[in-house]
Amino acid sequence: MNFISQEIIRKSRVSITNQLQEIGPGEVIEEIVAALQSTRRSIPSKYFYNGTGSLLFEEITRLEEYYPTRTEKAILRQIAPGLMKQFGTYDIIELGPGDHSKISILLQAATGMNMKSVRYLPLDISQQAINNSAENLVKAFSCVEIEGYAADFTSQLDLIRREKPAMICFFGSTIGNFDWDVSLELLQNLSNQMKKGDIFLLGMDMIKPLRVLHSAYNDARGVTAAFNKNILNSVNNLIQSDFNTGEFDHLAFFNKEKSRIEMHLVAKNDLTVHSPCFKEDLIMMQGESIHTENSHKYSTEHIREITGATGLQLNHTHTDGREWFSVTEFQKS
Ligand code: AVJ
């Protein structure tokens, strides 16, 4: 097959739309500036995932200390054949996939079952991540057709064009970035948009020994620290600010009361940050911090509460032997 015909086939199996433009730079700037200038300074976690940030996160997922990705994938490998047998003809919608390693496990199972066509609809905040995944997936799996969306699933869930019943995947414990009440709202919203019979797969990181949690976010090679600091580069790019990553320390700890890992960036010295988007310079004292991420850890009680709050029916919860991670299958009834 020559290059041109290959190119046409490849293209016809992929369509990607960028819906982030709909949000507009003004809203992004407003959101970041307001969070930075508030009394408890923060940066919304979704801004981690610029090009470098997505790559650093992928590096984190390969770290010895970072158990979640590896554990979740082991669970997915176990349940993939059963899932594809039952729901392989459904549209597979994935919220915030990042890389394509998890859908690959499902597509591998589909290939093993000789499935002719699988429709995959990824929705991710990173346009680059969507492009990369699409390119790799069409090469690796002849059955896959991709309709990708560069979009923010917290506000743009409704734009997905579905053709069939859906299996919606929300893996990686990304849900953990949201406060409990906000995540319930997000899931209620999702449930409202599901049709009877649709399936929802939710990956959640579970409560476990403190030392395991702590080292997962304080790895020896400092990749997590680099990931945390890189959010400042991402912000610099979005609001033309002059944060210097070298002026901050990485801080990550388990907040037991709130059942979450918190990540912060702590000013090593007094410092000033400028941006044309600020009304006034941002002045930080030594020791003052910016809260960059929460990563909630769950119990089976939380899973039950989701059922109650969303009205979704709980089909199964799958876990690994140590119950460090869970993948729960819900169904819209
Ligand atoms: C992608 C949000 C699930 O919370 O563990 C990894 C991000 N932060 N190391 C997580 C992250 C620090 C990750 N999530």
Side-chain angles (χ1 to χ4, degrees):
M1 195 185 300
N2 66 38
F3 175 76
I4 293 174
S5 58
Q6 218 170 11
E7 190 63 16
I8 292 166
I9 290 166
R10 194 183 68 79
K11 286 235 171 77
S12 69
R13 287 170 53 206
V14 178
S15 85
I16 297 173
T17 52
N18 187 329
Q19 305 285 347
L20 292 166
Q21 288 149 354
E22 301 278 303
I23 300 174
E27 285 167 62
V28 170
I29 289 169
E30 228 173 89
E31 184 182 29
I32 295 172
V33 171
L36 279 173
Q37 300 280 24
S38 81
T39 32
R40 289 167 163 240
R41 299 187 199 285
S42 66
I43 300 170
S45 305
K46 63 187 170 195
Y47 297 112
F48 274 119
Y49 304 95
N50 63 357
T52 312
S54 299
L55 290 176
L56 281 168
F57 177 65
E58 277 167 40
E59 202 177 330
I60 288 174
T61 65
R62 293 190 292 266
L63 291 169
E64 183 61 40
E65 295 100 325
Y66 194 77
Y67 62 84
T69 313
R70 192 178 313 121
T71 311
E72 184 180 42
K73 282 188 197 166
I75 298 168
L76 288 178
R77 260 178 235 112
Q78 293 242 326
I79 66 176
L83 282 175
M84 294 314 282
K85 196 165 160 201
Q86 253 191 303
F87 310 115
T89 59
Y90 289 22
D91 282 348
I92 303 180
I93 299 170
E94 188 174 8
L95 310 180
D99 72 12
H100 53 284
S101 61
K102 288 166 194 169
I103 187 66
S104 293
I105 295 172
L106 299 185
L107 291 173
Q108 194 67 56
T111 305
M113 295 158 58
N114 280 319
M115 289 183 54
K116 290 285 167 299
S117 111
V118 179
R119 209 159 160 266
Y120 175 53
L121 302 90
L123 195 149
D124 202 279
I125 192 91
S126 163
Q127 167 92 61
Q128 216 172 322
I130 296 273
N131 292 350
N132 283 344
S133 295
E135 191 172 320
N136 285 298
L137 288 170
V138 283
K139 262 188 232 154
F141 301 100
S142 59
C143 62
V144 75
E145 263 173 54
I146 300 171
E147 188 173 314
Y149 297 86
D152 180 350
F153 62 69
T154 61
S155 59
Q156 298 183 298
L157 268 183
D158 51 316
L159 53 81
I160 298 177
R161 281 194 301 125
R162 355 175 336 180
E163 293 175 355
K164 292 181 288 188
M167 177 164 78
I168 301 165
C169 303
F170 194 22
F171 294 139
S173 208
T174 305
I175 187 80
N177 275 170
F178 302 97
D179 286 353
W180 182 238
D181 48 338
V182 178
S183 59
L184 285 184
E185 259 173 58
L186 184 79
L187 297 178
Q188 275 158 358
N189 187 242
L190 183 77
S191 169
N192 288 339
Q193 298 196 34
M194 287 169 70
K195 303 208 165 73
K196 194 172 185 303
D198 283 354
I199 295 297
F200 175 50
L201 290 177
L202 180 62
M204 299 168 92
D205 197 11
M206 306 302 274
I207 297 167
K208 61 184 61 58
L210 192 66
R211 67 191 153 72
V212 182
L213 286 172
H214 188 269
S215 51
Y217 294 84
N218 291 279
D219 64 280
R221 276 175 46 217
V223 183
T224 307
F227 172 75
N228 194 8
K229 291 175 192 177
N230 179 65
I231 201 171
L232 298 178
N233 297 327
S234 164
V235 165
N236 282 344
N237 187 20
L238 292 163
I239 66 165
Q240 295 89 50
S241 50
D242 58 357
F243 278 105
N244 178 352
T245 56
E247 292 184 311
F248 292 85
D249 281 324
H250 165 71
L251 173 68
F253 60 89
F254 188 64
N255 179 335
K256 195 159 183 213
E257 189 206 330
K258 296 192 166 157
S259 193
R260 69 192 190 194
I261 290 279
E262 293 187 12
M263 294 213 306
H264 300 259
L265 290 165
V266 186
K268 291 186 195 171
N269 295 293
D270 296 357
L271 58 89
T272 303
V273 182
H274 313 89
S275 158
C277 307
F278 291 155
K279 284 207 193 78
E280 286 165 31
D281 290 347
L282 188 147
I283 297 168
M284 292 184 73
M285 301 300 180
Q286 179 179 18
E288 206 187 324
S289 65
I290 303 173
H291 191 166
T292 52
E293 187 175 52
N294 291 316
S295 186
H296 287 81
K297 307 303 166 191
Y298 301 98
S299 65
T300 47
E301 188 55 40
H302 287 110
I303 300 175
R304 264 198 298 277
E305 273 186 52
I306 291 174
T307 320
T310 59
L312 292 173
Q313 170 192 319
L314 198 160
N315 286 358
H316 297 283
T317 294
H318 306 271
T319 60
D320 55 295
R322 292 180 294 197
E323 306 200 347
W324 278 10
F325 206 95
S326 66
V327 176
T328 301
E329 179 188 318
F330 298 93
Q331 185 159 24
K332 180 83 173 184
S333 49

